[in-house]
Amino acid sequence: MSGVIKFRNLTKIYDGITAVDSLNLEVKKGEIFGFLGPNGAGKTTTIKAMMGLLKPTKGSIVVNGEKISTSAGISSSSVGYLPEVLDLWDNLSGEETLRFMSDLKGVSRSEVEKLLHKVGLSRAGDRKVKGYSKGMRQRLALAQSLLGKPDLLILDEPSTGLDPSGVAMVKNIIREHVDRGGTVFLSSHILPVVEEVAHRVGIIVEGKLRTVDSVSNLRDQLQIPTKMNILLSSNHKKVEKYLRKSPMIKSYSGSKNMLTVTCNKNDKKDILDLIEECGVDVVDFDIKEGSLEDIFLSFSRGDM
Ligand SMILES: Nc1ncnc2c1ncn2[C@@H]1O[C@H](COP(=O)(O)OP(=O)(O)OP(=O)(O)O)[C@@H](O)[C@H]1O
Ligand SMILES: [Mg+2]
């Protein structure tokens, strides 16, 4: 897979504040890349620099083999961009907005109706945008990013203001996009969505890229414990003494027949066996592997 986006030492300093500090990163063709970080970490600054909307203090960005500059900008027909905030024209309808933006982008108007349908705005397409709710505006903004079937989608907080069906729609749009060979660079605070769709994530904190990897590799590297809730055939006190003694158990809590332990992900089966060896049956259990949220919090708290 070849690099579609290449950041080389990207640095942006605003009035003495280093928003992005020597960012080196490569995003490959066909990849869904989740760009994560706490508020003020430098995500939007990075994305704006990638779109040629602000001038880096140092470093460079290459997208689809072309060096980005504020004078030339990005070749817009091959890139779909959803900004963090999109100013819309209140007096245009949703449909007129998409037609107008097709013209600005130099792409056919033929997809407008289909895109309104895709983002759930078919029935509101002829209404003026000034009457749109926050989520409807976000849906329209998302639709404009898809005009012209771009190869690369750059989405800055696509789920902002969306209801649960809207969040599911964003996931589908992202998956469909890569299924037909596209690439997605996504910034989002909705970590379960990123965990579900992203091939790799990068975590930026105070302008510095702290890590880049797949969620499953990060989970292993950081040894984020697995949590198991276990329903027993009798009171947990019958197994408590044995489990607390076991080096496999990182934390233990129990109430009546219910037991919650944290452990290494490879020890799950041995713990269930240990319970049965104590003469207590496991009636049911569920497992929660360390989540992207746990990983994110480790980095943003500064533990890592
Ligand atoms: N135009 C600007 N002038 C001065 N400082 C700015 C400007 N834009 C951003 N910053 C600063 O740069 C840093 C990074 O901001 P940025 O908007 O890139 O963060 P972010 O990661 O997108 O945060 P959020 O999750 O809140 O959207 C912050 O300290 C912010 O205050
Ligand atoms: Mg931002």
Side-chain angles (χ1 to χ4, degrees), residues 29-268:
K29 183 165 170 52
E31 187 169 40
I32 301 173
F33 189 86
F35 194 49
L36 313 177
N39 292 134
K43 304 178 297 294
T44 296
T45 303
T46 302
I47 289 174
K48 284 184 175 168
M50 191 184 348
M51 293 303 300
L53 298 172
L54 57 81
K55 194 170 166 10
T57 309
K58 268 191 280 177
S60 64
I61 308 161
V62 173
V63 177
N64 289 329
E66 283 177 42
K67 188 165 176 208
I68 302 302
S69 71
T70 43
S71 51
I74 204 160
S75 151
S76 68
S77 60
S78 60
V79 178
Y81 171 46
L82 173 71
E84 189 170 49
V85 180
L86 180 63
D87 287 329
L88 294 163
W89 297 273
D90 273 356
N91 283 319
L92 295 186
S93 70
E95 193 174 336
E96 287 164 346
T97 302
L98 292 187
R99 286 213 201 105
F100 182 51
M101 294 192 94
S102 302
D103 297 348
L104 285 180
K105 221 172 162 180
V107 300
S108 156
R109 291 176 160 199
S110 61
E111 295 161 69
V112 166
E113 210 174 309
K114 208 172 75 198
L115 285 177
L116 283 170
H117 178 72
K118 190 172 200 125
V119 299
L121 289 177
S122 288
R123 287 198 306 159
D126 58 357
R127 280 173 51 192
K128 286 214 158 79
V129 167
K130 69 176 158 207
Y132 276 21
S133 70
K134 185 172 155 187
M136 289 164 80
R137 283 170 179 262
Q138 183 70 4
R139 284 167 184 259
L140 186 60
L142 198 60
Q144 69 71 34
S145 74
L146 301 171
L147 286 166
K149 294 198 173 68
D151 295 329
L152 172 61
L153 262 187
I154 299 170
L155 307 175
D156 195 350
E157 304 284 352
S159 309
T160 303
L162 294 184
D163 61 22
S165 79
V167 174
M169 172 194 78
V170 168
K171 269 193 294 200
N172 285 339
I173 287 174
I174 290 172
R175 287 204 177 111
E176 268 177 39
H177 187 76
V178 291
D179 283 350
R180 56 175 194 78
T183 306
V184 180
F185 188 91
L186 157 79
S187 141
S188 178
H189 292 299
I190 315 291
L191 300 184
V193 170
V194 179
E195 182 164 2
E196 248 184 84
V197 299
H199 299 117
R200 287 191 306 154
V201 297
I203 300 180
I204 182 171
V205 181
E206 294 176 357
K208 285 199 167 67
L209 187 66
R210 302 294 309 281
T211 192
V212 180
D213 214 329
S214 65
V215 173
S216 92
N217 284 349
L218 287 174
R219 205 183 269 138
D220 290 349
Q221 269 167 38
L222 303 179
Q223 299 192 338
I224 306 266
T226 295
K227 186 170 162 186
M228 279 206 288
N229 293 312
I230 306 166
L231 181 63
L232 306 172
S233 58
S234 29
N235 195 292
H236 78 94
K237 295 217 178 292
K238 273 187 94 171
V239 298
E240 180 170 9
K241 199 169 76 187
Y242 299 97
L243 290 198
R244 281 196 189 274
K245 267 199 318 217
S246 163
M248 293 187 291
I249 303 293
K250 293 184 188 292
S251 75
Y252 180 102
S253 65
S255 166
K256 298 185 182 156
N257 289 21
M258 196 69 196
L259 180 63
T260 300
V261 292
T262 57
C263 61
N264 258 334
K265 74 171 187 183
N266 299 332
D267 290 337
K268 294 183 298 246

